Structures are given as C-alpha cells and as structure tokens.
Amino acid sequence: MSFDLAAIRAQFPILSQQVNGKPLVYLDNGATTQKPNVVIDAICDYYRHDNANVHRGAHALSDRATAKFEGARESVRRFINAGHREEIIWTKGTTEGINLVAFSWGRDNLRQGDRVLVSTMEHHANIVPWQLLAGQTGCELVPMPVDDRGQIDLAALDDLLDERVKLVSVVHVSNALGTVNPVEAIIEKAHAVGAKVLIDGAQAVAHWPLDVQALDCDFYSFSAHKMYGPTGMGALYGKRELLQAMPPFMGGGEMIETVSFAGTTYNALPYKFEPGTPNIAGAIGMGAAVEFLESFDRKALAEHEADVLNYAVERAHQYEGLRLIGEADHRAGVLSFLLDGGHPADVGMLLDQQGIAVRTGNHCAMPIMQRYGITGTVRASFALYNGRDDVDALFAGLDKVKTFLL
Ligand code: PLP
C-alpha cells in the first residue's frame, strides 16, 4: 500500500514522545485525534499575526481575521459538499449542533404525541437533548433496537416509522462499537413518512468523504477535534429552508439585525445561530484540518484505515480471552472489547504503563452498554497515522496485561 506512515507521523509532533518510558502508541482517536503541524500553525499564525474580532472592525486585522474565518466556513462547506455556505453553522462541537436542532427546530415543531427516534447505540449527546425536549414539549423519545452484532434492526425501524415520527436522529459511526449505520436507507425510510433526519457524524467525517446533498440528510453535526482539528469547535449542516424557518437558539450580538425594546429582528443565516464572539481560532483550525484531510487521496486513506481495522479485528478473533463488543458487517475506526478477568479500567491502566493510550468505560453510551449487559469496554480507536505496528503493539501490550491479571 502506497501510504507513507512515517512521513504522516512526522507531521504530528505529539506522537514522537515517550510515555512511561515507552514510545507512545496513541489509540484513543475516538475521544480526540492528534493535531498535525498545519493545524497548530494555522491557529498560532492567526494569534500571532491576525487576531481581531470578526465582521465588525474597520481595520486591516479584522478584515484578515474575517477573511480567514469565512474562508474556513467555505472549506467546511466544500468538505461535506453542502450547497450553500449559509448552511454551515459554527458550533462548539457535535453536542452543541444536536442541542441547537433540539431547542430550535424541536421546540418549534414537536408537540405531545410526536416522536423522535434514536438508536440504542447513541452517544449521550444524541439522547439527553431529546429527553430534555420531551420534558418540555411532551414529545416522546423512542429507541430503535440494535441486534447482537451491534446493527440497527431495520425491520424494527420499519415497524416504528409512522406519521407520529417527526425526527430520526442517528449516529453515522458508533463511537462505542464502530458500527457504520446504513444512514442512506434510514434517511430514505424516514423521509417516506415525512420525518426529518439528523445525523451525528462525530466519528464519521475523518474516515471518508461526505456528501450531504447526496445523502439528503436534513441536519449533520460534527466536531473538529475528531478530524485533526481543535477542541471546542464544530459545525452543524442544515438544509437552508429548514434553518431559515427555525428560530434562534441563543440570543446576543452578531445574531441580530436591529434591536429595540419594541422588538428585535434577526440576522441572516448563518449568523442567526452564531451569537457572541465566535471561536475564530477554532474555525481557522477546523478549516486547516479540512485542508489537511483534503491533501490526501481519500480513497487510499479509507483503504489504509480499513486495512488496519481489519487486521485488528482478525487478531482480536484469534486472541484468547478477548470478546469483541460490536461485530457489525460494516464498521470503522473502533475495536471495543473485554478481556477475561480484567476490568476495563485495569486493562487501560496497565496498557498506559506501556505507553499505549486507549479509552475504557461506557464511552458516553450507557444504553448500548446496558443492551449488552456490561458496564464498559476497552476501546482502541484508530486514525490515519495508525498502522499495523500499532495493532501489534496493542496485542503485545495485552499479553503483558494478562500476566498481571493471573
Ligand atoms: N457523538 C459521538 C458519536 C461521539 O463520539 C461524540 C464524542 O465522543 C459526540 C457525539 C460528542 O462530541 P463533542 O464532545 O465533540 O461534542
């Protein structure tokens, strides 16, 4: 495979360090990915040379900051192939994007008797906002069942879909299981009963090219920090006609056109949803992350990532005492497992002593853990800089862990 891992790793300064006296093997990319020099530099350059508030200053720095900030929005638009730049709303991450839809679109459109469907494998970010909304509007949150392999039961979805369902909100790639959900089919089925669809793309955007127009989703929420960009930054895509009809989510500066005590009028999209001084450096960093990803042959990248994950799955199947949690036919990025006789927290700590970073626990997805009758797993999650050597390091690490568990 023509994929120069050494050259890629060299672009991520953090990866060359030792942890606990061992070379770092970073397998916690589902929690957050590391940042390449181009992203770090874009943020530093902005603060060093261009720092000013956007959209309001009558001076050169503000013009430069605004150009970079809006240029990043255009990069994100291109990255997901949205039709219009005003369909890209800056957020602080996937969580805020989902809350924006819940408390703007949801509060305006959902009533007693209406239903929101989510899957059992959702991150809490795609459960709790709907529970809060249900408490306020009387709408009902209904979970779609997931089979033993960790796949949404599409036949059960057919049974659940009727005119009461106003929104289906589903994760594209599960952070707890790695399942890639058939969002195309789900969107088609939901639209057939007149429901809107929100996709939680937190774990998907880094892995393959996304085309929101081809997908025909109504909303798509994602985070910069899971695609090599900064933390506390993200974007919500929404279809323009939906966003135009939605009331503001939060009030403040930037999101208004005129304010008086007689009444206030709101700014045009996307600013209607962006009150206050935005995370300018974050947006610029996210734009740089997009350009970093676009600098690759995305098909080759996806093949490389699939090769590493398939290799990890193969090794896991052969590894005595290891039970995979999530065995979907189509998966990405995540190997979630239990080791006989080892509490996930202990396994994680023993791996950390060997310089191997994984995540342990419920992965902010308690309902899917309950579905499997467990409280948590060990999760190794992969990014473009991981290779088969990292998988080998993980299993060598587990060999050592086992000696402590005996
Ligand atoms: N959805 C999924 C599937 C996630 O994995 C995460 C983060 O782990 C989130 C939502 C929340 O993302 P953020 O914390 O960046 O808002």
Side-chain angles (χ1 to χ4, degrees):
M1 189 165 303
S2 60
F3 208 75
D4 188 348
L5 267 183
I8 289 171
R9 285 175 186 167
Q11 298 180 52
F12 289 82
I14 203 169
L15 294 177
S16 59
Q17 69 184 285
Q18 305 238 319
V19 168
N20 291 322
K22 305 279 173 5
L24 169 64
V25 177
Y26 187 77
L27 296 176
D28 194 17
N29 297 286
T32 199
T33 53
Q34 298 302 347
K35 321 305 172 200
N37 282 322
V38 284
V39 168
I40 298 168
D41 291 348
I43 294 168
C44 291
D45 283 352
Y46 161 69
Y47 279 127
R48 285 216 171 89
H49 305 295
D50 307 315
N51 178 51
N53 213 326
V54 288
H55 301 142
R56 44 186 97 169
H59 57 83
L61 294 189
S62 178
D63 289 347
R64 291 208 301 261
T66 303
K68 283 190 166 181
F69 179 74
E70 291 301 332
R73 194 190 307 271
E74 169 56 20
S75 297
V76 170
R77 184 208 62 74
R78 186 181 63 237
F79 184 63
I80 64 169
N81 195 33
H84 312 278
R85 64 174 278 287
E86 62 267 37
E87 294 180 319
I88 306 299
I89 313 292
W90 293 130
T91 64
K92 66 186 169 77
T94 309
T95 305
E96 186 181 298
I98 296 171
N99 276 273
L100 193 161
V101 176
F103 295 107
S104 172
W105 182 87
R107 226 164 7 206
D108 218 29
N109 286 279
L110 299 178
R111 304 277 169 273
Q112 181 113 27
D114 290 339
R115 289 181 149 191
V116 174
L117 295 191
V118 297
S119 81
T120 313
M121 71 177 86
E122 299 307 318
H123 188 281
H124 300 158
N126 197 24
I127 298 175
V128 184
W130 308 114
Q131 289 177 324
L132 291 170
L133 187 70
Q136 293 175 6
T137 66
C139 72
E140 192 187 355
L141 177 63
V142 180
M144 295 181 252
V146 166
D147 69 18
D148 288 342
R149 304 181 58 155
Q151 305 174 125
I152 290 176
D153 181 341
L154 288 180
L157 171 62
D158 286 336
D159 291 340
L160 285 171
L161 276 174
D162 58 29
E163 73 290 345
R164 287 174 299 177
V165 178
K166 297 295 187 291
L167 180 78
V168 177
S169 191
V170 70
V171 69
H172 201 162
V173 176
S174 159
N175 65 311
L177 309 176
T179 306
V180 180
N181 284 315
V183 287
E184 297 81 357
I186 293 170
I187 290 166
E188 210 178 308
K189 285 172 188 289
H191 282 171
V193 298
K196 304 290 182 230
V197 182
L198 187 162
I199 305 292
D200 168 352
Q203 298 291 340
V205 280
H207 295 304
W208 56 77
L210 173 69
D211 183 337
V212 289
Q213 292 187 77
L215 208 52
D216 197 27
C217 55
D218 299 289
F219 302 102
Y220 197 101
S221 191
F222 56 110
S223 304
H225 72 103
K226 296 184 195 285
M227 46 174 276
Y228 312 104
T231 52
M233 188 65 214
L236 172 73
Y237 159 80
K239 282 183 180 165
R240 186 164 60 177
E241 59 277 17
L242 288 172
L243 293 174
Q244 269 163 350
M246 283 159 54
F249 168 48
M250 289 191 283
E254 282 281 301
M255 52 74 72
I256 52 85
E257 192 181 51
T258 62
V259 178
S260 79
F261 286 109
T264 288
T265 57
Y266 304 125
N267 205 341
L269 289 176
Y271 311 110
K272 180 172 78 172
F273 294 108
E274 297 178 356
T277 299
N279 183 355
I280 304 165
I284 291 167
M286 187 168 187
V290 163
E291 283 163 22
F292 171 73
L293 273 166
E294 286 175 340
S295 73
F296 291 90
D297 171 346
R298 300 287 311 273
K299 190 163 168 279
L301 198 62
E303 279 169 10
H304 162 72
E305 291 186 0
D307 174 71
V308 174
L309 183 63
N310 291 340
Y311 178 62
V313 170
E314 239 171 68
R315 293 224 37 191
H317 283 154
Q318 289 156 11
Y319 200 78
E320 214 182 302
L322 186 151
R323 175 184 161 208
L324 279 181
I325 303 296
E327 289 262 32
D329 290 338
H330 191 191
R331 52 185 141 173
V334 167
L335 191 80
S336 211
F337 60 91
L338 292 170
L339 200 59
D340 274 356
H343 189 283
D346 295 334
V347 175
M349 190 195 63
L350 291 165
L351 286 173
D352 181 51
Q353 284 174 7
Q354 303 170 64
I356 302 166
V358 295
R359 181 159 174 195
T360 62
N362 61 54
H363 315 299
C364 298
M366 285 192 204
I368 194 65
M369 298 296 134
Q370 290 153 8
R371 161 70 179 77
Y372 283 103
I374 58 180
T375 54
T377 72
V378 181
R379 182 187 72 182
S381 51
F382 303 94
L384 55 79
Y385 38 70
N386 293 122
R388 286 183 173 220
D389 57 338
D390 293 323
V391 176
D392 290 337
L394 171 67
F395 284 94
L398 290 175
D399 287 344
K400 275 221 178 107
V401 169
K402 275 180 163 180
T403 64
F404 286 100
L405 296 177
L406 286 176

